[in-house]
Amino acid sequence: MPAPDDKILIQYMKLGSAKAFEQLFLRYQKKIFHFIMRFLHRKEESENLVQSVFMEVWEHRLNLDEEKSFSGYLFTAT
């Protein structure tokens, strides 16, 4: 079975689903980490920043617009 797309996961996350959040985290954490590493060049700080970005996503999940690109939102937030 294919993985649900971001739109579906965001809808579930807005309902409080930690599983949906986890799937989005696993889908994007490495991409965000490598993006941050291009600027910081420090692994531990980059890992911490990834955690911070995703904590912000969870805290503001009700404001997410599932019609917009989640990937674009993450890179902008980062």
Side-chain angles (χ1 to χ4, degrees):
M1 175 166 45
D5 67 7
D6 291 354
K7 179 179 177 178
I8 300 295
L9 291 172
I10 290 169
Q11 289 171 349
Y12 280 113
M13 190 173 62
K14 288 171 91 171
L15 295 172
S17 173
K19 269 288 202 218
F21 175 76
E22 180 183 11
Q23 286 185 12
L24 287 167
F25 177 78
L26 293 173
R27 184 175 292 174
Y28 288 104
Q29 72 168 338
K30 289 180 184 176
K31 293 176 186 176
I32 297 299
F33 172 77
H34 291 294
F35 177 72
I36 295 168
M37 278 292 289
R38 289 193 291 171
F39 298 98
L40 295 183
H41 305 287
R42 291 190 294 274
K43 183 180 182 215
E44 188 173 327
E45 283 185 42
S46 296
E47 290 170 341
N48 289 339
L49 190 52
V50 169
Q51 294 294 324
S52 294
V53 167
F54 277 95
M55 287 305 299
E56 287 292 318
V57 166
W58 179 255
E59 290 171 5
H60 299 284
R61 67 190 178 277
L62 296 178
N63 299 324
L64 291 174
D65 183 350
E66 59 268 10
E67 298 300 324
K68 294 186 179 177
S69 166
F70 183 69
S71 174
Y73 170 80
L74 277 179
F75 283 98
T76 300
T78 301

